[in-house]
Amino acid sequence: MTPRILLALTLSLLPAVVAAQPAIYESKDKGVTTFSDQPSPGGRPMDLPPVNVIPGPGVAPPQAPASAPDATATPYSQLSVVSPASGGTVWTNTGDFDLQVQARPALQTRRGDAFRVKIDGKALARTFSGPAISISAADWARAEATDNVLHSLQVSIVDQGGAVLMESAPVSFYLRRHTLAPAAAPRAR
């Protein structure tokens, strides 16, 4: 079929498509206006303007799959726990506390790298994408090995597959809980 014949055929069918719009009826009952595609007693057909059609946005092309990790990325040269300091004290009753790590170069999250934290030798289930890390009470409860006051903390950088790229030196710290000691009884003189 030639384009002219196809265009003529399409234009000849257009009035049939427009005429195929169903009729809309308006009726009023006790002051309430009702619109329907079914005629009702006392209803009158509405003369509506043509349907306003606005084309939607086109479908976005599929995105290219994520590229493989950059093999030329700069390797990490340093990873350390900045806070809590080695031998320092963390005061918390719940186990919630913050730690700060430093990596050189900065963590390469675009490559899929993340920080993994070990408390008393047990790795937390989740990983972290920034140097400011908040340990929750749930993290602490799952990882705490002992009820001692002295604990160890170690951070590693892992890739997308979980392979360790670099580990910090372990840091020992004290976890102390706030208590309200009863007031000492006055001494008799």
Side-chain angles (χ1 to χ4, degrees), residues 76 107-109 112-116 127-129 156-159:
Y76 296 101
L107 186 67
Q108 298 171 25
T109 55
D113 295 350
F115 291 118
R116 169 152 292 140
T127 57
F128 303 88
S129 60
S156 56
I157 297 175
V158 294
D159 65 11

Side-chain angles (χ1 to χ4, degrees), residues 39-80:
S40 59
R44 63 179 180 86
M46 300 280 305
D47 184 25
L48 299 175
V51 177
N52 187 9
V53 178
I54 299 172
V59 176
Q63 294 202 357
S67 61
D70 185 8
T72 63
T74 308
Y76 296 101
S77 61
Q78 180 206 356
L79 178 62
S80 59

